[in-house]
Amino acid sequence: MGDHELNRKNQYDEAPQGEGRLDRAKFLRSGALAGGAMLAGAMAPAGAIAADAGDAPLAIPETNKTLGAGVNDTPYGMPSKYERDVVRRTVPFLTADDKSSVSFTPLQDLDGIITPSGLCFVRDHGGSPMLIDPLQHRLVIHGMVDRPLEFTMNDLIRLPSESHVYFMECGANGGMDYKGAQMQGVQFTHGMIHCCEWTGVKLSVLMDQVGVKSTAKWMLAEGADAAAMTRSVPIEKALDDALIAWSQNGERLRPENGYPLRLVLPGWQANLNVKWLRRLKFGPDPWQTREETSKYTELMPDGKSRQFDWVMGTKSVITGPCPEKPMMAKGFREVTGFAWSGYGTVTRVDVSFDGGVNWKQATLQEPIYTKALTRFRIPWEWDGETALLQSRAVDDKGHVQPTQAQLLAARGGNAIYNRNAIQTWRVNPNGTVDSVQVG
Amino acid sequence: MSKSVKYAAALAGIVALAGFAIADAGQQYNIGKPVTEAHIASWDIDVNGLTGAGLPPGQGSVAQGTKVWEAKCSSCHGEFGEGAGKFPVIAGGTGTLTAERPDKTVGSYWPYAPTLFDYIKRAMPFPAPQSLSNDEVYAVTAYVLNLNDVVPKDAMVDAKALAAIKMPNRDGFIKAEWDTKNVVCMSKCAPAPVKITSDLVNLHVTPEEKEVGNVGSTVDRGNIEESADTTAAAATTAHGTGPGAKAASGPTFEQVQPIMAQRCTVCHSGKPTQAGFSSAPMGVKFDTPAEIKAQVAQIKALTVTSRQMPLGNMTHMTDKERGLLGTWIAAGAPIK
């Protein structure tokens, strides 16, 4: 198929100027689409293209000739309506109930390294409590401590605070693809991850306030949700870089991300970063809760299960192109994506265009933070032939992201959690992109 | 930090001010309200799975548990713990952990019995957590353990009994460590050309729910992790047929065109018939085979992958039809 067929500009050359767009506006205004859910699922706009009229002289846009909206028409700003397909999505068949389910971050639409709060994936085990009044909320810290204490939100924000950018990844991210490629689209293969700037008090400061006893080796964190989520955290992590956070990307946490208070354990499985945090208890042993025995453990071929696999492995993925962002034309296209490691800082990303035979080093974009998403970029001249795109991350502890074959050999196909294998995207001659696995 | 609990407790009393506590070195801000055990008792419900510490007074029998189960649990988990629909399977699966398709249940997988009490007490029944009395939790715990052949039919369970139980998979867990060894190789790292081992083009799992039902009733299982598990198994099965085989006998344009006409062309036409449209949205038309062919990448991205089209699914496109379009495009979108 020829170049011009891939060039979507051509598709609109003969389109009557702006008519389709106008009709859509009318159509939407007519209320034929019931509710926001449908709108959210609706189309990606292509404003630039709609305005392209071939050789015709540029028209003066209407926006040059009419006044725009008032400065406070939307007191809490919203994205342009043309961005309405940039939303979290879920895969209904995965779960029995949407209160114990997951929605995925649209990684394909993100730039830079920060995930906007409203696009952060959500994984709940008993729904997101939407009505926790921050004035009523309490954090209790007790167990093997000298002075059990109860904190209000107003107490906590008086304490010295810190802000850090960290990623958070669900242990099940990519788990559906352990045995074979199944999820089509980077939103579903890798979208159980987000990266935010978190603000809160260091947990070690709170541990000072209660006086944690030297015999305490573990901490239980508990949520105020319907799952009363509980996970055990070893004391070393609690003392190291753990935060008790009330803010995300400069504003208070979103309800579905733990409002008004959550635990942040940098680089560790998101499930441990307990949302709606209401209680911390110090003790001598791990609690062996359901979430660290029945779930979030990795069953190996010999029948044994890896437990307490807290640190999210060194990993990367190309987000452009990807199945949601097909190739539009032969020729130049910058390839870009995310790399991260729960062990520390990403030091290197290599990209292959032939399924892992040959590799080229990509550029890492500043800022590069420890335990945060890191953006990589590499130029690419596409010849229109089938290509197999891969990315491979390396971190400052020397971990190299494994291939799918290596991970499968190490863990078998039933491990479900902490899958950090190299992703392969097949770019087809017609420009479409598929998720595949190579041997 | 390595001193015994007893020694530490004794010492703490004597030299609390000497900085014995590990995290006592930092500044004291005198913020936060001191609390008593009585004040926090209603929140302090955690049970240690390994030791049973925290198990409350009370007891329950398998017989009493049967009543609780039938009234409050079986609607989701099935009368015998087999799981209704996609809700978690609670019983069975013994000896399947090394199988191709393991069944991870309380009996086959859970290492500690007190964890079961802790979880049911805090999180079940799913629609009304923390609504059961301690005796009811003990009883239904006994019932679940009996379903899994861990305790006999006439068992009565309390704190001591639960802590004493040795679950079948108690020794099934090991501490995880980094377990792969890739290297930074830059050229000729694998024999070219590489072989595709898994290709989901013919396996329309994402997010075509109904197709998945066809791949196997296997996905009619519990939570996301279990489903991840079983759909993976389905993938392997589906690949047995081989992508090539399917592509060769793939859908024809004769099958594709009526679908496009019915689901897309009502809007995407020189003369749209859909109310509210007087011309093709964004100039995108599917009136001729050439127009369709020219836009297969977009059709796939919007209809098969992200399902953004048809707009709001106004034209009720089915998952099967999306799957068919995907297969047709994957096979090179033949027009003849």
Side-chain angles (χ1 to χ4, degrees):
Chain A
M1 106 191 274
D3 279 359
H4 69 282
E5 283 169 319
L6 282 167
N7 187 339
R8 68 187 211 153
K9 275 189 183 172
N10 291 343
Q11 299 168 12
Y12 306 106
D13 280 349
E14 44 181 289
Q17 255 303 289
E19 259 190 85
R21 184 158 291 282
L22 223 73
D23 283 346
R24 190 204 47 193
K26 195 164 70 192
F27 178 70
L28 294 180
R29 241 183 287 116
S30 78
L33 285 181
M38 268 180 175
L39 281 185
M43 255 317 301
I49 283 157
D52 188 327
D55 290 337
L58 292 173
I60 299 172
E62 268 313 296
T63 49
N64 276 146
K65 301 185 200 168
T66 47
L67 292 174
V71 291
N72 210 29
D73 282 5
T74 49
Y76 192 103
M78 293 293 287
S80 159
K81 67 175 186 170
Y82 301 108
E83 298 300 315
R84 66 187 180 277
D85 70 314
V86 181
V87 289
R88 294 186 283 236
R89 291 188 174 80
T90 183
V91 181
F93 75 77
L94 282 178
T95 52
D97 193 297
D98 72 349
K99 307 295 190 294
S100 171
S101 192
V102 61
S103 68
F104 300 78
T105 304
L107 296 179
Q108 68 277 12
D109 291 305
L110 301 186
D111 292 314
I113 61 169
I114 297 292
T115 312
S117 302
L119 296 178
C120 289
F121 83 93
V122 178
R123 168 63 168 128
D124 293 338
H125 287 261
S128 290
M130 301 309 275
L131 295 173
I132 299 182
D133 178 349
L135 290 177
Q136 303 301 321
H137 191 73
R138 297 289 181 274
L139 174 66
V140 167
I141 310 182
H142 70 127
M144 295 173 72
V145 303
D146 291 338
R147 298 172 292 278
L149 291 174
E150 178 182 306
F151 295 91
T152 64
M153 290 303 298
N154 283 332
D155 289 337
L156 293 171
I157 58 174
R158 287 167 61 197
L159 292 165
S161 59
E162 296 183 6
S163 299
H164 298 276
V165 176
Y166 295 126
F167 79 82
M168 244 178 238
E169 183 183 17
C170 177
N173 198 19
M176 288 81 84
D177 289 353
Y178 245 107
K179 267 188 191 162
Q182 298 202 82
M183 307 312 279
Q184 177 70 316
V186 73
Q187 183 158 14
F188 303 112
T189 57
H190 289 78
M192 286 191 237
I193 190 168
H194 54 60
C195 183
C196 298
E197 185 196 56
W198 305 98
T199 301
V201 56
K202 284 283 289 279
L203 176 53
S204 56
V205 170
L206 292 176
M207 289 166 73
D208 283 340
Q209 307 314 301
V210 295
V212 175
K213 291 192 193 302
S214 66
T215 40
K217 299 262 165 51
W218 291 79
M219 178 186 84
L220 184 77
E222 182 175 73
D225 59 329
M229 177 55 64
T230 42
R231 286 293 302 254
S232 310
V233 180
I235 203 96
E236 293 80 10
K237 182 68 176 177
L239 282 170
D240 180 16
D241 53 3
L243 274 184
I244 303 297
W246 52 79
S247 267
Q248 168 187 16
N249 295 334
E251 61 182 355
R252 293 300 169 98
L253 302 173
R254 292 292 170 92
E256 58 272 37
N257 294 120
Y259 185 88
L261 199 65
R262 83 176 298 169
L263 179 59
V264 174
L265 298 177
W268 283 29
Q269 212 173 49
N271 178 256
L272 284 134
N273 293 249
V274 173
K275 301 191 273 190
W276 314 290
L277 186 70
R278 73 164 198 192
R279 188 163 72 102
L280 297 171
K281 184 179 191 176
F282 289 87
D285 306 300
W287 272 258
Q288 305 285 357
T289 71
R290 180 252 189 178
E291 308 299 334
E292 56 208 26
T293 52
S294 167
K295 303 295 162 194
Y296 301 96
T297 48
E298 298 146 32
L299 179 59
M300 304 289 104
D302 67 357
K304 296 275 189 237
S305 295
R306 289 157 56 89
Q307 194 187 19
F308 298 137
D309 195 9
W310 300 301
V311 185
M312 295 312 291
T314 317
K315 190 168 173 182
S316 66
V317 68
I318 292 169
T319 57
C322 63
E324 295 97 327
K325 302 286 172 190
M327 297 296 288
M328 290 302 182
K330 266 202 227 178
F332 185 81
R333 198 234 197 267
E334 182 179 69
V335 170
T336 180
F338 293 116
W340 62 96
S341 169
Y343 292 93
T345 308
V346 172
T347 52
R348 175 183 182 123
V349 175
D350 301 301
V351 172
S352 173
F353 298 93
D354 58 10
V357 181
N358 299 296
W359 296 80
K360 288 191 183 118
Q361 192 170 351
T363 307
L364 302 186
Q365 182 189 286
E366 304 278 344
I368 301 168
Y369 297 120
T370 184
K371 301 169 189 176
L373 290 188
T374 301
R375 171 68 62 178
F376 66 86
R377 305 177 184 285
I378 190 167
W380 187 36
E381 199 68 44
W382 184 45
D383 60 8
E385 301 294 320
T386 300
L388 296 172
L389 271 56
Q390 298 185 334
S391 62
R392 178 182 68 200
V394 182
D395 69 23
D396 60 351
K397 308 293 181 297
H399 299 115
V400 183
Q401 182 181 6
T403 65
Q404 166 67 14
Q406 286 166 343
L407 197 67
L408 209 58
R411 298 196 191 152
N414 289 319
I416 301 175
Y417 300 97
N418 290 19
R419 181 173 170 275
N420 65 330
I422 289 172
Q423 169 70 40
T424 309
W425 299 127
R426 180 181 57 207
V427 175
N428 304 304
N430 63 10
T432 57
V433 179
D434 295 316
S435 178
V436 299
Q437 293 183 356
V438 298
Chain B
M1 282 185 60
S2 57
K3 295 183 179 91
S4 79
V5 181
K6 215 169 134 197
Y7 176 49
L11 253 187
I14 304 160
V15 291
L17 290 178
F20 182 80
I22 48 165
D24 221 7
Q27 190 175 340
Q28 290 294 312
Y29 298 101
N30 297 318
I31 291 175
K33 183 181 97 180
V35 283
T36 61
E37 268 175 39
H39 176 73
I40 58 177
S42 60
W43 286 18
D44 190 12
I45 57 169
D46 57 272
V47 170
N48 188 292
L50 175 70
T51 63
L55 279 168
Q59 60 175 26
S61 66
V62 175
Q64 290 161 335
T66 313
K67 292 200 195 97
V68 179
W69 183 263
E70 278 165 8
K72 297 180 170 169
C73 319
S74 63
S75 60
C76 292
H77 294 297
E79 203 177 335
F80 303 104
E82 73 278 12
K86 290 181 216 162
F87 287 107
V89 179
I90 302 292
T94 314
T96 65
L97 295 186
T98 54
E100 175 70 24
R101 303 261 313 279
D103 240 337
K104 299 188 312 194
T105 72
V106 170
S108 70
Y109 199 65
W110 288 44
Y112 306 107
T115 304
L116 187 58
F117 182 99
D118 176 82
Y119 181 68
I120 295 172
K121 166 94 183 166
R122 70 177 56 249
M124 288 293 137
F126 191 63
Q130 302 203 25
S131 63
L132 300 184
S133 70
N134 287 337
D135 283 351
E136 284 176 307
V137 179
Y138 274 119
V140 80
T141 299
Y143 178 80
V144 169
L145 291 172
N146 174 253
L147 275 183
N148 282 288
D149 299 324
V150 175
V151 302
K153 222 167 55 212
D154 57 359
M156 170 70 81
V157 160
D158 60 11
K160 231 176 114 194
L162 269 191
I165 288 172
K166 184 164 193 269
M167 297 293 280
N169 195 37
R170 169 133 188 177
D171 301 322
F173 293 83
I174 52 170
K175 174 79 186 76
E177 275 163 21
W178 183 269
D179 57 350
T180 55
K181 274 201 204 76
N182 201 2
V183 291
V184 181
C185 166
M186 296 306 284
S187 62
K188 302 204 179 103
C189 309
V194 296
K195 207 175 99 238
I196 302 230
T197 55
S198 173
D199 184 343
L200 55 58
V201 158
N202 295 315
L203 182 81
H204 305 286
V205 179
T206 329
E208 297 146 6
E209 304 91 314
K210 285 177 193 123
E211 287 285 320
V212 171
N214 298 338
V215 178
S217 53
T218 53
V219 275
D220 288 335
R221 287 280 313 273
N223 61 43
I224 178 164
E225 286 84 13
E226 294 302 333
S227 297
D229 199 3
T230 46
T231 46
T236 330
T237 324
H239 288 300
T241 60
K246 244 188 169 170
S249 58
T252 60
F253 190 62
E254 279 67 57
Q255 292 170 272
V256 168
Q257 196 160 27
I259 296 176
M260 295 292 295
Q262 195 185 353
R263 310 299 188 198
C264 316
T265 317
V266 290
C267 295
H268 290 286
S269 162
K271 292 197 182 72
T273 52
Q274 177 74 41
F277 287 82
S278 61
S279 67
M282 299 185 73
V284 175
K285 290 185 282 186
F286 301 121
D287 289 326
T288 66
E291 282 169 342
I292 294 174
K293 173 96 181 168
Q295 303 178 65
V296 289
Q298 278 285 78
I299 293 173
K300 179 168 175 206
L302 299 174
T303 310
V304 186
T305 306
S306 70
R307 298 161 67 100
Q308 293 163 19
M309 281 291 139
L311 188 69
N313 205 10
M314 297 279 301
T315 48
H316 308 288
M317 186 165 207
T318 67
D319 297 323
K320 243 200 153 81
E321 289 168 345
R322 291 182 203 271
L324 191 137
L325 278 186
T327 315
W328 174 69
I329 295 169
I335 288 197
K336 205 191 79 65

